[in-house]
Amino acid sequence: MWNHIHLLIEVPPKCDQLLSDEGLLERLELLYSADHVGMVRMQLEDLMNSTTEVGQKAYQEVRETYARRMWDLGLFMKTLKQRFSSWYNKKHQRKGTLWEARYKSVLVENGHAARTMAAYIDLN
């Protein structure tokens, strides 16, 4: 069918170690434009050196805005659908949403179930 997509996504467990700013920016480069990543880089650099409590709080908020998406499937899907819709609408000179309903998710454990799901997706 042409009106839906299937994704098999592994959501890694959230690590206890804090992701470095460079690590965060490397991951953002996979999803955002160079201009957007450059803007985030400048924000982080400006706020990181802040000596005020407000500046340090703003630094943490910028980091958290992007970092929390890495382990949250709902936020990931929201961003993916929005970015794809924007691209598709621009390419086809149209407006509006592409998806009628919220995404559906199924938890798949490793092993046979994951291979079966991958085969199902491949055949679709």
Side-chain angles (χ1 to χ4, degrees), residues 97-109:
T97 61
L98 297 178
W99 286 274
E100 185 176 299
R102 185 178 187 270
Y103 77 95
K104 296 177 179 88
S105 63
V106 176
L107 180 62
V108 179
E109 298 293 331

Side-chain angles (χ1 to χ4, degrees), residues 5-9 30-32 69 72-88 98-99 103:
I5 60 172
H6 294 274
L7 300 172
L8 184 59
I9 300 173
L30 299 172
L31 187 60
Y32 295 99
R69 297 176 188 184
D72 188 326
L73 183 59
L75 285 174
F76 170 79
M77 290 303 298
K78 177 183 175 187
T79 302
L80 179 67
K81 288 170 58 175
Q82 285 175 338
R83 300 213 19 107
F84 181 80
S85 294
S86 295
W87 170 83
Y88 186 88
L98 297 178
W99 286 274
Y103 77 95

Side-chain angles (χ1 to χ4, degrees), residues 2-14:
W2 59 271
N3 63 352
H4 69 279
I5 60 172
H6 294 274
L7 300 172
L8 184 59
I9 300 173
E10 178 181 1
V11 180
K14 190 170 183 179

Side-chain angles (χ1 to χ4, degrees), residues 11-28 31-32 36 40 44 58-76 79:
V11 180
K14 190 170 183 179
C15 60
D16 293 335
Q17 296 176 352
L18 185 64
L19 186 63
S20 70
D21 286 352
E22 280 306 312
L24 178 66
L25 292 168
E26 284 176 17
R27 292 177 185 195
L28 292 181
L31 187 60
Y32 295 99
H36 186 82
V40 174
L44 290 174
Y59 170 76
Q60 291 300 328
E61 287 174 356
V62 170
R63 284 186 51 83
E64 182 61 25
T65 296
Y66 294 100
R68 73 171 179 250
R69 297 176 188 184
M70 294 180 194
W71 294 277
D72 188 326
L73 183 59
L75 285 174
F76 170 79
T79 302

